[in-house]
Amino acid sequence: LRYVGHSGSGFTEKELHRVAALLEPLAVKACPFMTEPPHTNERPHWVRPELIAEVKFSEWTADGLMRHPIFLGLRDDVRPASVSVETAAHVPAKTRVVAGASRKGNAASRGGGGSSPGRGDIKKALAALEGMDPGRGGRLPVSGDEIEVTNLGKALWTAPRITKGQLLRYYLEVAPYILPVVDDRPLVMRRFPDGVDRPAFFQHRAPDAPPTGVRVEEVEDGGEESRRLIGGSLATLAYMVQLAAISQDPWFSRCRSIGDMDHVAIDLDPTEGTTFATVLEVARRVRDELVNLKVASYPKTSGARGLHIYVPMRPGTSYQAGLLFGQIVATVVARRFPKIATVERAVQRRARGTVYLDYLQNIQGKTLACAYSARASAFAGASTPLAWDEVDAGVDPRDFTILTLPARLREVGDLWGGLRQSKGVDLRGVLERAQSKHGKAKGRNKEDEP
């Protein structure tokens, strides 16, 4: 072993506690490095080298250390003995997706324009799944390819008991709806190898040897390139279930226009003690603010305790512009309704019973569970598009699960289609309307002055 640096960036408090718990049973007294013990900021705690961490960094320094290392997550798909020093490798141009080299997509589709599997393909896959032994699994036919699936009887949820095979069946049933949502988009995996009640981990990099039919591209993120799974195929959807990645978490941009965002999202995240009725009330306030700006919006449950509100953007919209738009809308709502809404970032400073309007998801590389995605919530929720009439009338998020959503889709159809087919918001026009209203309001205030 050779020391190559240390990272304090990239951790959340929750992740720090999780990693610490995993390291504790691996503790040893002796330094595991073959050279002299490295200089450390604090007293070191040595462990057996059994865990693999993925770290991104800008370059190697002259003395062989990582410059600007950032922790990305733990990997369980790599053997420790296989890890070696990585050097910059040439990637063929046809497989490299670079931010800034934007190629404009079809303005009529937010989904990338890929072909969805036919009903015959889905029926064939469902029939094959039905005939498999849950303990042994088998090869799943998916649009001309095959994906090896195993441990189908393994319980991913305990109450209600839902197995890996049932999750796979769900995704096959909703494939015509969810594949256009993730088509051509880099995906982040949050994997639950031991079920939702056990620790999970994030995986950004694609596995080294994915099956045929699973699309992988080199994608630039923050100046660094990494191999990513790209959504849009039945093979990729099934493969992610095989890896116990429960949700589908796509980027807000597509490979064909990786530097441009297709939509802005405001994530309504309730604080402790907040009822879902309050979440719905805040959603209506956000909707009303957008209506005042003549902007269409599309709500969906998060699949857990919150709600997501999406606004389609015009092709060519930068992440910086989308982030600013989301920040303005969220801040206006929070200032007008401080008793129920907040944009306070520090969790401990948010008032109990309020809803945090998180606009910071609108940054390149960040993700939210997409429409129709399964979630690792206790009730096996599914992120479900809603009509605004339903938000006005009131709904219970626990009614929308991977067990109930297929029947709802047969009844109401694809409520997310409007977002995907929208031409998007002209942010320049929105700004002009907002300035005009602000000017008129100032004029009325002057007339009222004595």
Side-chain angles (χ1 to χ4, degrees), residues 181-195:
V181 177
V182 299
D183 184 31
D184 201 40
R185 300 184 190 278
L187 297 167
V188 173
M189 291 183 285
R190 189 183 183 198
R191 298 174 59 182
F192 293 80
D194 298 312

Side-chain angles (χ1 to χ4, degrees), residues 308-379:
H308 300 154
I309 299 176
Y310 277 56
V311 177
M313 293 287 110
R314 288 265 178 102
T317 300
S318 69
Y319 273 91
Q320 292 88 345
L323 174 64
L324 181 58
F325 174 72
Q327 179 180 5
I328 291 171
V329 173
T331 303
V332 168
V333 173
R335 287 180 177 175
R336 289 183 177 176
F337 307 99
K339 292 184 178 180
I340 58 174
T342 181
V343 289
E344 174 57 59
R345 298 185 189 181
V347 176
Q348 64 273 19
R349 294 179 183 174
R350 298 174 195 162
R352 182 181 176 87
T354 59
V355 175
Y356 172 52
L357 287 83
D358 186 0
Y359 57 85
L360 294 174
Q361 300 296 337
N362 300 291
I363 297 174
Q364 184 170 350
K366 283 187 172 286
T367 62
L368 284 175
C370 70
Y372 308 116
S373 173
R375 297 301 308 277
S377 52
F379 59 92

Side-chain angles (χ1 to χ4, degrees), residues 215-256:
R215 182 182 171 192
V216 174
E217 301 277 8
E218 290 281 346
V219 178
E220 182 183 291
D221 180 16
E224 296 295 320
E225 292 182 359
S226 63
R227 298 172 71 253
R228 302 281 186 143
L229 291 182
I230 308 299
S233 73
L234 204 57
T236 302
L237 195 61
Y239 181 55
M240 290 180 68
V241 175
Q242 170 60 17
L243 296 176
I246 288 177
S247 60
Q248 291 282 299
D249 299 79
W251 281 30
F252 286 19
S253 54
R254 293 163 287 163
C255 289
R256 68 177 62 186

Side-chain angles (χ1 to χ4, degrees), residues 32-70:
F33 295 107
M34 296 180 65
T35 56
E36 289 293 319
H39 174 73
T40 57
N41 297 331
E42 303 287 348
R43 183 173 66 87
H45 298 268
W46 307 116
V47 297
R48 294 194 306 274
E50 296 182 7
L51 299 180
I52 300 293
E54 182 172 10
V55 178
K56 74 175 182 178
F57 57 102
S58 58
E59 63 179 350
W60 292 111
T61 65
D63 51 355
L65 300 181
M66 297 179 294
R67 191 184 304 279
H68 308 137
I70 299 175

Side-chain angles (χ1 to χ4, degrees), residues 105-146:
N106 179 4
S109 174
R110 307 281 112 185
S115 58
S116 296
R119 294 188 181 276
D121 293 327
I122 295 174
K123 286 184 178 181
K124 185 177 180 181
L126 285 169
L129 178 63
E130 186 68 27
M132 289 182 189
D133 181 335
R136 298 178 61 183
R139 299 191 69 81
L140 187 76
V142 283
S143 303
D145 298 302
E146 288 186 334

